[in-house]
């Protein structure tokens, strides 16, 4: 059996406050000026560091450095990736700017690896539309510094770095059986061979015994509310108008509850022990997803006695 | 100080891609079974569990919590986690045993590197203000380091290829290795660059994997193992996060960790966590390993499961002692870009 897998694209815009040192440095880039900071040993750090790397003393002496310098080491990128400074093949380099004693990492725009070498002179190519980020240096290019039109404006205090990472998320063999079952309208759990507990979804390892669950158990689509909460707070992406109930439902024959919605009754009437049954979406919409069950609603049976679910809270 | 030894070790096969989830459970269950079974232990004998893994590698939050399923954590266990290679979890477990609270600890690491684009995921460990926004990847950072040494005459492409060829030949006797075989240095050097000046053989493969190691104190170690690998020193040190602010061709943090761990004699064998060929050359220089056998397992160049490859170095070095092939061994683990953070663990056999 082939396990299910699907693309999982994770995105987040990290928004960071820069603080006084990096804030001044990035503000400088926005204004087409590069400033470093002098360490206790007299070395000028570019990019600046907040504390001396040896003495750990807070550093405050700023030094403007040139927008040109020397390649100290480099490597070649034949297939540029998303977010990098250039979309055609380029070199990464550590560049020691004139007046600096450390090197900064940036891209160098040269046509081939034959066009760059350690010791080569390069200059900043400023971004046409600076925003206050490392990308305000578009890249470096061969040559000596030229006079830049300096800008001026509000100090840059924040930087936003969008992060996008692409994964292939794989379901386990047990989860695959469960998800394939859902597409057929079946609720498939598995029993731990050691403690005999029935898990739905089944697990790659029983959390009590650390062994894979194996024996398949088909469960009914009705059960008992073990605990619940009434959602009153609106949030981005909410699909149901509050108030509504999110509950743990313990299917009959299962030893672990899962979370689902309780609709079809007043939120205020939902209670522990309430008996509920699944309301399935139309068959033609079924996928490998628990969303095939739209929600649970009261079945009208008498409430389950507390002892029937007290071990599953 | 309490005497603490490595008494057991197991690892999943190092492979390019597994079909399991990113929480590591499928890889860890058999590894736990193997390491505990060989010692005749059950989970209730373990006083402390400590893992190393990364949510960025897993692409999900709290992946290490999901991994605890593999232990069977009921009744509740004493557990901790580091978001770093599990060699640092080993360090934490060693400290835990030193406190006297526990006598036996199990350390594990896991990572499904194949789930994402590893070289891009690794960008997330770089300075988030001035470096990561440009998205240099892990091969590029290593390439900058390799060229720095080449241009300075600290090493040659020939020496780098020799490291790859020796590692692959040694890995032939490692059933868990991912890359192995006989290759000639000339053939390797005739191949194209992957990230000039790095060729494919200079870079560790992308590996899914997991490993577990058991530490025990004093008499408990002597009960559990015929020849425990006694830890005589373990320490870690870190260099500046500023790539352009340090000499990439040297590793003062490795030398500092080795000194703090008490490296004062020749060791018979060293397992070095060098995911790039030139990094082994940097480490050998920092540790002064003249005459020691390096990476009989093939090292990380022949299988580099993220977040357990460093722990595996400790396990492999300990195995050299427990099997009687070495009396003194050094294990090294690294974390961060271009050998930024380094751990050294010294072990010895006592007859």
């Amino acid at each position: 059996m082939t396990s299910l897998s699907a693309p999982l694209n994770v995105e987040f815009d990290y928004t960071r406050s820069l603080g006084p040192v990096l804030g001044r440095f990035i503000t400088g880039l926005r204004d087409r000026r590069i400033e470093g900071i002098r360490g206790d040993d007299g070395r000028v750090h570019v990019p600046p560091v907040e504390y001396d790397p040896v003495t750990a003393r807070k550093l405050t002496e700023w030094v403007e450095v040139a927008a040109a310098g020397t390649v100290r080491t480099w490597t070649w990128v034949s297939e540029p990736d998303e977010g990098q400074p250039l979309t055609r093949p380029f070199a990464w380099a550590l560049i020691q700017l004139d007046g600096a004693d450390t090197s900064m990492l940036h891209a160098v725009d040269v046509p081939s690896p034959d066009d760059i070498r350690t010791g080569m002179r390069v200059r900043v190519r400023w971004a046409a539309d600076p925003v206050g980020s490392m990308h305000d240096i578009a890249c470096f290019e061969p040559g000596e510094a030229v006079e830049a039109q300096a800008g001026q404006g509000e100090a840059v205090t924040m930087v936003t770095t969008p992060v996008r990472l692409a994964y292939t998320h794989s379901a386990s063999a047990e989860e695959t059986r469960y998800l394939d079952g859902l597409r057929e309208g079946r609720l498939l759990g598995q029993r731990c061979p050691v403690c005999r507990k029935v898990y739905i979804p089944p697990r790659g390892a029983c959390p009590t015994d650390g062994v894979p669950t194996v024996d398949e158990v088909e469960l009914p689509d009705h059960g008992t509310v073990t605990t619940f909460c009434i959602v009153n707070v609106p949030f981005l992406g909410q699909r149901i108008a509050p108030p509504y109930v999110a509950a743990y439902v313990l299917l009959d024959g299962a030893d672990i509850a899962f979370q689902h919605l309780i609709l079809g009754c007043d939120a205020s009437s939902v209670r522990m022990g309430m008996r509920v049954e699944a309301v399935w979406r139309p068959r033609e919409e079924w996928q490998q997803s628990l969303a095939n069950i739209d929600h649970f609603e009261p079945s009208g049976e008498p409430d389950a006695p507390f002892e029937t679910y007290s071990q599953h809270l | 100080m309490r005497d603490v030894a490595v008494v057991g070790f197991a690892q999943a096969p190092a492979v390019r891609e597994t079909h399991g989830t990113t929480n590591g459970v499928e890889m860890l269950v058999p590894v736990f079974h193997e390491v505990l079974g060989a010692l005749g232990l059950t989970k209730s004998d373990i006083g402390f569990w400590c893992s190393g893994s990364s949510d960025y590698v897993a692409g999900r939050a709290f992946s290490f919590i999901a991994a605890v399923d593999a232990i069977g954590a009921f009744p509740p266990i004493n557990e901790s986690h580091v978001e770093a290679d599990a060699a640092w979890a080993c360090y934490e477990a060693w400290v835990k045993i030193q406190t006297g609270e526990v006598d036996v600890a199990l350390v594990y690491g896991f990572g499904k590197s194949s789930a994402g684009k590893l070289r891009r995921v690794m960008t997330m460990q770089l300075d988030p203000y001035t470096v990561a926004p440009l998205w240099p990847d892990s091969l590029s950072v290593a390439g900058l380091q390799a060229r720095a040494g080449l241009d300075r005459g600290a090493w040659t492409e020939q020496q780098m290829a020799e490291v790859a060829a020796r590692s692959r030949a040694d890995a032939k006797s490692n059933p868990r290795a991912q890359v192995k075989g006989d290759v000639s240095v000339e053939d390797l050097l005739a191949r194209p660059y992957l990230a000039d000046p790095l060729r494919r053989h200079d870079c560790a493969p992308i590996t899914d994997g997991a490993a577990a190691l058991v530490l025990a104190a004093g008499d408990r170690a002597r009960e559990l193992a015929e020849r425990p690998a006694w830890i005589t020193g373990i320490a870690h040190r870190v260099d500046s996060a500023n790539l352009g602010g340090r000499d990439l061709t040297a590793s003062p943090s490795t030398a500092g960790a080795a000194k703090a761990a008490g490296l004062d004699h020749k060791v018979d064998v060293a397992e070095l966590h060098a995911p790039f060929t030139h990094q082994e050359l940097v480490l050998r220089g920092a540790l002064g390993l003249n005459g020691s056998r390096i990476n009989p397992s093939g090292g990380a160049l022949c299988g580099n499961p993220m977040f357990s490859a460093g722990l595996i170095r400790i396990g492999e070095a300990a195995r050299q002692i427990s099997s009687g092939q070495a009396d003194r061994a050094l294990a090294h683990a690294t974390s961060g870009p271009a050998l930024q953070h380094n751990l050294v663990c010294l072990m010895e056999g006592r007859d």
Side-chain angles (χ1 to χ4, degrees), chain B residues 196-251:
Chain B
D196 186 351
L198 300 174
R199 296 178 175 86
R200 189 168 296 281
H201 67 256
D202 293 311
C203 311
I206 296 168
T207 307
D208 291 354
L213 174 148
V214 175
L215 296 178
D219 288 342
R220 195 77 177 100
R222 282 179 277 270
E223 284 165 26
L224 288 168
E226 200 165 313
R227 195 167 197 250
W230 296 102
I231 295 176
T232 59
I234 183 168
H236 62 104
R237 293 289 185 272
V238 69
D239 289 312
S240 168
N242 186 357
L243 289 168
R246 64 180 170 102
D247 176 1
L248 295 175
T249 65
S251 184

Side-chain angles (χ1 to χ4, degrees), chain A residues 290-307:
Chain A
L290 187 58
N292 295 351
I293 295 178
D294 186 76
H295 60 272
F296 282 78
E297 66 180 17
S299 67
E301 297 163 85
D303 284 5
F306 181 67
E307 14 344 326

Side-chain angles (χ1 to χ4, degrees), chain A residues 14 73 75 118 167-168 203 207-208, chain B residues 43 56 69 73 115 144 151 196:
Chain A
Y14 283 86
T73 182
T75 186
T118 296
Y167 297 88
T168 300
R203 320 278 290 226
T208 299
Chain B
K43 66 178 183 185
Y56 278 111
D69 270 8
L144 292 170
D151 284 353
D196 186 351

Side-chain angles (χ1 to χ4, degrees), chain B residues 288-328:
Chain B
L289 293 174
N290 293 323
S292 304
R293 185 155 187 226
I294 309 290
N295 290 357
S297 68
L301 288 169
C302 299
N304 187 36
M306 293 307 298
F307 295 84
S308 58
L311 180 71
I312 290 168
R313 307 282 71 77
I314 301 176
E316 290 282 9
R319 184 137 66 192
Q320 291 287 319
I321 289 173
S322 57
S323 65
Q325 290 169 283
D327 292 326
R328 294 175 54 84

Side-chain angles (χ1 to χ4, degrees), chain A residues 124-144:
Chain A
V124 169
R125 181 190 298 165
W126 295 105
D129 300 306
V131 296
S133 92
M134 278 307 283
H135 287 279
D136 291 351
I137 296 176
C139 62
F140 282 76
E141 61 191 17
E144 295 295 337

Side-chain angles (χ1 to χ4, degrees), chain A:
Chain A
M1 181 191 66
T2 307
S3 290
L4 290 171
S5 64
L8 173 69
N9 296 314
V10 179
E11 299 191 12
F12 189 73
D13 288 353
Y14 283 86
T15 302
R16 300 175 192 274
S17 55
L18 288 162
V21 172
L22 288 166
R24 178 162 168 173
F25 175 68
I26 297 289
T27 300
L29 295 188
R30 198 268 324 271
D31 296 342
R32 298 184 171 169
R33 180 181 71 244
I34 304 176
E35 287 186 287
I37 208 159
R38 193 182 299 281
D40 283 336
D41 56 3
R43 294 197 310 153
V44 174
H45 297 264
V46 181
V49 291
E50 292 162 314
Y51 299 91
D52 187 273
V54 178
T55 66
R57 195 180 67 88
K58 187 173 180 176
L59 299 179
T60 53
E61 187 189 341
W62 288 87
V63 181
E64 185 162 350
V65 300
T70 304
V71 170
R72 291 302 178 204
T73 182
W74 60 275
T75 186
W76 189 251
V77 180
S78 47
E79 290 175 33
D81 203 357
E82 186 187 347
Q84 294 178 342
L86 291 160
T87 53
R88 55 183 173 271
F90 68 94
W92 289 115
L94 286 171
I95 298 153
Q96 186 179 352
L97 296 175
D98 298 347
D101 294 289
T102 67
S103 300
M104 67 188 289
L105 189 149
H106 219 296
V108 181
D109 186 12
V110 284
S112 83
D114 296 332
D115 299 298
I116 186 166
R117 58 184 169 74
T118 296
M120 191 167 91
R121 297 286 298 166
V122 290
R123 67 179 171 217
V124 169
R125 181 190 298 165
W126 295 105
D129 300 306
V131 296
S133 92
M134 278 307 283
H135 287 279
D136 291 351
I137 296 176
C139 62
F140 282 76
E141 61 191 17
E144 295 295 337
V146 287
E147 193 74 16
Q149 186 76 40
Q152 200 167 1
E154 295 280 301
V156 180
T157 59
M158 304 286 282
V159 64
T160 300
T161 306
V163 169
R164 271 189 287 279
L165 295 170
Y167 297 88
T168 300
H169 184 76
S170 301
S172 66
E174 296 81 7
E175 288 165 340
T176 297
R177 285 287 299 151
Y178 163 75
L179 293 167
D180 283 342
L182 282 169
R183 190 175 50 187
E184 299 160 9
R186 302 167 71 202
L187 293 163
L188 299 179
Q190 285 182 1
R191 191 185 301 279
C192 170
V194 179
C195 68
R196 313 296 297 162
K197 288 204 168 87
V198 173
Y199 293 94
I200 184 165
R203 320 278 290 226
C206 168
T208 299
D209 298 297
V211 296
T213 57
V214 279
D215 302 328
E216 193 159 285
V217 181
E218 182 158 0
L219 295 165
D221 66 353
H222 46 262
T224 301
V225 172
T226 60
T227 184
F228 65 96
C229 82
I230 299 176
V231 178
N232 286 300
V233 182
F235 57 85
L236 191 69
Q238 196 170 35
R239 285 182 293 183
I240 303 167
Y244 61 92
V245 176
Y248 273 101
V249 175
L250 182 68
L251 296 179
D252 293 352
D255 288 293
I256 193 160
F258 58 72
Q259 196 185 321
H260 220 301
L261 296 167
I262 309 295
L263 301 176
C265 61
D266 279 347
S268 60
S269 69
V270 176
R271 57 201 178 270
M272 292 172 75
M274 184 185 233
R275 296 284 296 163
V276 291
E277 62 190 10
V279 177
W280 293 80
R281 290 175 191 260
R283 178 177 286 265
E284 58 273 18
E285 294 176 18
W286 287 358
Q287 299 173 12
Q288 285 143 319
S289 168
L290 187 58
N292 295 351
I293 295 178
D294 186 76
H295 60 272
F296 282 78
E297 66 180 17
S299 67
E301 297 163 85
D303 284 5
F306 181 67
E307 14 344 326
T308 62
Y309 61 88
S310 63
Q311 297 303 306
H312 302 292
L313 289 171

